[in-house]
Amino acid sequence: KAGVTQTPRYLIKTRGQQVTLSCSPISGHRSVSWYQQTPGQGLQFLFEYFSETQRNKGNFPGRFSGRQFSNSRSEMNVSTLELGDSALYLCASSSTQLGLGNTIYFGEGSWLTVV
Amino acid sequence: GQQLNQSPQSMFIQEGEDVSMNCTSSSIFNTWLWYKQDPGEGPVLLIALYKAGELTSNGRLTAQFGITRKDSFLNISASIPSDVGIYFCAGQRNNDMRFGAGTRLTVKP
């Protein structure tokens, strides 16, 4: 069974640009959640999508957005990039919604560097 | 939101020794998860705990869901060099997730 797949793995963007990251969950999983990981802040929850609906959102500005498609694949977009957005962005999938006693599986992440 | 309190922050141990790390919170969680992350990679699930008091093993790893639902620990027995990495705890409550800051484990051969 294929795991969670994230693309691209590495990318460099300039301040002010926007970026879109993609995540394909494990087959059959309907929940996709996104996280930001930095050395200073650790792992932080961004948002979760289930059945194409955003269920919960972490404490991030509106520049961070996402969506989920009918095949459960998800994209995350960050607009007007800032230097502080440089981080490892992780996607995770689960068969059910977060918090219902389920297990989540992470992808390898997308390394974003903003210069 | 408030992250979980994970300790110790780092550990330097000799191969063959046992390791113990824990996570605590002021809030109750419904699920506790333990992950290991190697440099440049995403976290890999080690153990998932779904019930207060639950004790679960996965090879040399053992984890417990605290009876108060506010804490969890992970033990690694007879450590080997490939145990090196960062171990994270995660707690799920309702539709939210919180993470510990990680325990960086170094194993000396």
Side-chain angles (χ1 to χ4, degrees):
Chain A
K1 197 175 191 182
V4 179
T5 305
Q6 290 188 245
T7 56
R9 281 279 279 147
Y10 304 93
L11 67 166
I12 300 173
K13 290 285 188 177
T14 306
R15 263 185 306 178
Q17 286 186 314
Q18 67 92 28
V19 67
T20 299
L21 308 177
S22 180
C23 173
S24 293
I26 291 172
S27 178
H29 283 191
R30 293 166 61 194
S31 166
V32 173
S33 48
W34 288 89
Y35 306 82
Q36 183 195 64
Q37 187 176 36
T38 60
Q41 298 295 322
L43 263 169
Q44 296 187 91
F45 171 77
L46 278 158
F47 32 66
E48 182 207 4
Y49 285 87
F50 183 84
S51 294
E52 302 177 63
T53 302
Q54 188 182 89
R55 291 192 61 248
N56 194 25
K57 195 175 191 306
N59 190 25
F60 279 82
R63 299 184 297 108
F64 292 81
S65 63
R67 59 178 175 167
Q68 187 179 35
F69 302 94
S70 58
N71 61 0
S72 294
R73 190 177 71 83
S74 176
E75 287 182 348
M76 191 193 93
N77 184 274
V78 187
S79 62
T80 321
L81 284 166
E82 301 175 359
L83 295 179
D85 295 334
S86 296
L88 176 65
Y89 289 88
L90 291 160
C91 162
S93 81
S94 177
S95 57
T96 59
Q97 302 158 23
L98 287 183
L100 296 184
N102 52 317
T103 301
I104 72 166
Y105 299 88
F106 283 91
E108 292 187 322
S110 292
W111 283 97
L112 170 65
T113 301
V114 182
V115 297
Chain B
Q2 183 65 47
Q3 301 288 62
L4 305 176
N5 300 311
Q6 184 172 350
S7 64
Q9 198 173 23
S10 60
M11 301 182 76
F12 295 83
I13 62 169
Q14 204 72 39
E15 183 178 358
E17 288 183 351
D18 297 344
V19 171
S20 186
M21 58 193 79
N22 70 86
C23 273
T24 62
S25 172
S26 56
S27 303
I28 289 172
F29 287 95
N30 300 324
T31 303
W32 284 94
L33 306 167
W34 284 94
Y35 293 88
K36 179 179 181 238
Q37 187 173 22
D38 292 326
E41 304 294 329
V44 173
L45 180 69
L46 298 173
I47 291 181
L49 303 159
Y50 303 110
K51 246 175 16 179
E54 180 181 357
L55 183 72
T56 298
S57 293
N58 178 9
R60 293 178 297 106
L61 278 59
T62 301
Q64 184 158 30
F65 192 140
I67 198 74
T68 64
R69 296 169 63 191
K70 294 182 180 180
D71 63 328
S72 176
F73 72 76
L74 174 70
N75 287 343
I76 306 173
S77 63
S79 59
I80 59 178
S82 61
D83 290 335
V84 163
I86 300 178
Y87 293 79
F88 287 99
C89 62
Q92 287 193 53
R93 177 181 67 243
N94 300 324
N95 55 359
D96 192 17
M97 264 192 96
R98 295 283 181 252
F99 293 92
T103 295
R104 183 181 295 274
L105 179 63
T106 302
V107 181
K108 292 178 282 187

